[in-house]
Amino acid sequence: MKNIAIIFSVLCMQLWNAQNVYLTKVEKTNDNTDKFFYKKEETIADAVYLGEVEVQGFSKDDALTFSLVYKKAKEIGANTFQLKPFENVDGTPQAFNASNYKVALYYTPKEKLSVQHGEMYIFASSEKDQKISINRKDYIISPRSFLKLKVIPGEIYTVSTKKLLGSTVKIQPKATDDNVYFQISSLKVKPDNLGVGGLNLKSGDIIGLEKSYAEFLSVIYKESKP
């Protein structure tokens, strides 16, 4: 009975983490070699709607989810995206559900994309609250959420995880710099694979994120007000 319970538990975990990404609608295709995949701004009027991707099932591996969405988007030449909420019977948008959502895909000419600057995004990636310090001011970021802070060009910003063996980074943005994106990883303890015994401890790392992935996280995570 104990073995059956364990097997059932494993199967439930697999079903919980099962995820599929489908290209559910194709209106047009666009032939381009753009590698980026940015969030579409509401004010952009020249974006061409190409189709939709639907994500079914929840996964903790957001990087994998993004790569699957990105691959589907590039099949039809999309370089920008926008979250498309499901609607209630009365036409109002439903609250975001990380287990099932749609992403509208667009092609936007490069010259219509404006540089986004003056902000710093910090994403939490663990299942627990993350405590960080920015210029000696403490913040707590809940799981699957992010902070968005205004930055002043020329000013130095020190971001620290305030943990044993944690990371600290310093940035000094210029007026023309793009937004900066970081992710705070959780505590990781794993067996040593080098044959010398013990554990490899990795705590509170601060990881720089590429803009396309960061903007994807900004639509599936919840913004935490400082």
Side-chain angles (χ1 to χ4, degrees):
M1 288 295 293
K2 184 177 180 180
N3 289 338
I4 293 175
I6 293 173
I7 293 172
F8 179 75
S9 177
V10 171
L11 288 174
C12 287
M13 288 296 294
Q14 290 177 339
L15 289 173
W16 173 253
N17 289 296
Q19 185 181 67
N20 292 295
V21 177
Y22 299 104
L23 186 60
T24 54
K25 185 181 293 186
V26 177
E27 292 285 335
K28 296 180 180 179
T29 60
N30 186 281
D31 186 16
N32 67 81
T33 58
D34 294 339
K35 300 298 183 183
F36 63 85
F37 187 50
Y38 297 155
K39 181 173 66 175
K40 175 186 172 295
E41 299 298 325
E42 293 286 351
T43 55
I44 297 178
D46 296 316
V48 179
Y49 174 75
L50 301 182
E52 288 178 12
V53 162
E54 183 171 341
V55 178
Q56 298 179 358
F58 177 77
S59 173
K60 295 179 182 178
D61 192 342
D62 296 311
L64 177 59
T65 301
F66 171 74
S67 69
L68 294 173
V69 172
Y70 178 91
K71 183 178 179 180
K72 295 295 183 183
K74 293 307 175 181
E75 287 180 9
I76 60 175
N79 63 6
T80 43
F81 67 92
Q82 193 172 51
L83 191 67
K84 185 175 182 180
F86 287 101
E87 294 184 349
N88 295 309
V89 177
D90 60 0
T92 57
Q94 295 181 8
F96 176 74
N97 178 3
S99 297
N100 188 206
Y101 56 93
K102 294 188 292 184
V103 178
L105 307 175
Y106 298 85
Y107 171 75
T108 304
K110 292 180 182 179
E111 61 272 15
K112 299 297 181 180
L113 296 171
S114 59
V115 176
Q116 305 295 317
H117 52 77
E119 293 176 327
M120 175 167 56
Y121 288 71
I122 302 179
F123 299 88
S125 61
S126 71
E127 297 179 6
K128 298 180 180 179
D129 289 349
Q130 292 285 332
K131 187 175 182 180
I132 63 168
S133 171
I134 303 174
N135 287 359
R136 298 184 179 181
K137 182 177 180 180
D138 293 343
Y139 299 88
I140 295 178
I141 315 177
S142 301
R144 302 187 68 81
S145 68
F146 66 95
L147 283 176
K148 183 171 70 173
L149 304 172
K150 294 287 185 182
V151 294
I152 301 172
E155 186 170 327
I156 297 175
Y157 293 86
T158 302
V159 183
S160 171
T161 58
K162 300 188 67 176
K163 291 183 179 180
L164 176 66
L165 303 181
S167 300
T168 298
V169 297
K170 291 186 178 182
I171 63 168
Q172 188 175 19
K174 299 177 182 178
T176 56
D177 285 350
D178 205 344
N179 288 340
V180 290
Y181 308 92
F182 295 108
Q183 188 169 46
I184 310 300
S185 68
S186 58
L187 174 68
K188 296 179 181 178
V189 180
K190 60 182 181 179
D192 173 58
N193 295 319
L194 300 179
V196 295
L199 298 172
N200 290 327
L201 182 64
K202 190 176 183 181
S203 173
D205 281 341
I206 302 173
I207 305 166
L209 297 182
E210 189 273 330
K211 180 178 177 179
S212 295
Y213 178 47
E215 292 200 336
F216 177 75
L217 290 183
S218 74
V219 302
I220 66 170
Y221 279 22
K222 182 179 180 181
E223 182 177 354
S224 179
K225 300 297 183 181

